[in-house]
Amino acid sequence: AQSVTQLDSQVPVFEEAPVELRCNYSSSVSVYLFWYVQYPNQGLQLLLKYLSGSTLVKGINGFEAEFNKSQTSFHLRKPSVHISDTAEYFCAVSESNDMRFGAGTRLTVKP
Amino acid sequence: NAGVTQTPKFQVLKTGQSMTLQCAQDMNHNSMYWYRQDPGMGLRLIYYSASEGTTDKGEVPNGYNVSRLNKREFSLRLESAAPSQTSVYFCASSSGPGFYGYTFGSGTRLTVV
């Protein structure tokens, strides 16, 4: 069965610094991978997704993620963060009909 | 705005009471899902409906029932609420299988006392 592990529950970072949020997955078949963002008191919004093809995926708000099949990872990166990036980020994996989410990483951007 | 609409946004129940959470989407999506979100546990799938007329259990179905009323609506029912069901509930929809990506509602914050 598919599962996702987000390696950091909280990541504090200063404004304009780079950030990486780590995600590892397990699955017995080909998977589709996603990153979602949740701002306070809101639902989840899709940041980016990997379905096939290029292993480097670009998303909204300057985020990108790299699919690494040998390491079963899908880490999210941004070269320079803003205060407005403060939110909770969820990695997710889908094999077929449903999607399983990690526990989330709270990114806090400090001035 | 087009998207997924959940009602109510907030609810307080007493232990043993019942209630139904409503979800409707206007994107003509085939698949709909109910998740619960708890601190430190991410989102866990309760039930899903891959298409109108079908429903399947997810990771944590115990204590819940669902109805796919039509293509637009997917409701979640708690027959006898328990404090362990205190959570934030999210409905989501998708045009197809999981790899299409989901559109989420804004959530229902449920407290059972």
Side-chain angles (χ1 to χ4, degrees):
Chain A
Q2 61 208 17
S3 67
V4 174
T5 301
Q6 290 185 242
L7 299 169
D8 306 292
S9 60
Q10 297 185 60
V11 173
V13 65
F14 287 105
E15 192 173 18
E16 298 184 5
V19 70
E20 178 180 81
L21 307 183
R22 298 180 295 166
C23 172
N24 286 106
Y25 69 92
S26 66
S27 173
S28 58
V29 299
S30 297
V31 295
Y32 309 103
L33 295 159
F34 305 80
W35 276 99
Y36 286 83
V37 59
Q38 184 181 32
Y39 299 104
N41 300 314
Q42 295 186 26
L44 279 69
Q45 302 173 32
L46 181 65
L47 266 181
L48 50 80
K49 60 183 176 183
Y50 171 79
L51 303 182
S52 65
S54 173
T55 57
L56 184 62
V57 180
K58 294 189 183 298
I60 62 171
N61 300 339
F63 284 93
E64 63 181 32
E66 186 160 16
F67 171 60
N68 188 318
K69 187 174 182 179
S70 63
Q71 298 190 9
T72 60
S73 68
F74 190 56
H75 300 335
L76 181 70
R77 303 185 181 101
K78 186 170 183 178
S80 176
V81 294
H82 304 288
I83 298 289
S84 59
D85 292 322
T86 294
E88 187 137 22
Y89 292 79
F90 292 93
C91 183
V93 60
S94 176
E95 290 179 354
S96 57
N97 282 331
D98 64 8
M99 190 175 299
R100 302 299 168 99
F101 290 81
T105 297
R106 171 150 295 279
L107 174 65
T108 302
V109 182
K110 299 179 285 186
Chain B
N1 290 337
V4 179
T5 302
Q6 291 183 237
T7 56
K9 293 189 182 302
F10 301 94
Q11 184 71 48
V12 178
L13 288 179
K14 293 182 179 179
T15 298
Q17 286 185 317
S18 63
M19 80 161 295
T20 299
L21 280 62
Q22 307 286 353
C23 175
Q25 53 90 9
D26 58 6
M27 297 170 287
N28 201 35
H29 283 173
N30 291 315
S31 304
M32 298 185 74
Y33 309 82
W34 277 105
Y35 286 86
R36 60 178 288 173
Q37 182 180 27
D38 301 292
M41 303 188 75
L43 281 76
R44 292 180 292 168
L45 182 65
I46 305 171
Y47 272 93
Y48 68 98
S49 171
S51 61
E52 187 178 355
T54 69
T55 60
D56 287 285
K57 294 179 180 179
E59 300 172 80
V60 289
N62 292 342
Y64 305 96
N65 286 300
V66 291
S67 297
R68 183 75 183 266
L69 304 170
N70 47 56
K71 192 171 186 179
R72 291 187 63 247
E73 299 172 285
F74 188 40
S75 63
L76 178 71
R77 184 161 177 84
L78 287 69
E79 291 291 352
S80 179
S84 61
Q85 295 178 303
T86 293
S87 187
V88 180
Y89 291 85
F90 286 100
C91 177
S93 70
S94 173
S95 55
F99 58 78
Y100 280 73
Y102 293 179
T103 300
F104 281 86
S106 57
T108 295
R109 186 172 295 275
L110 175 67
T111 302
V112 183
V113 298

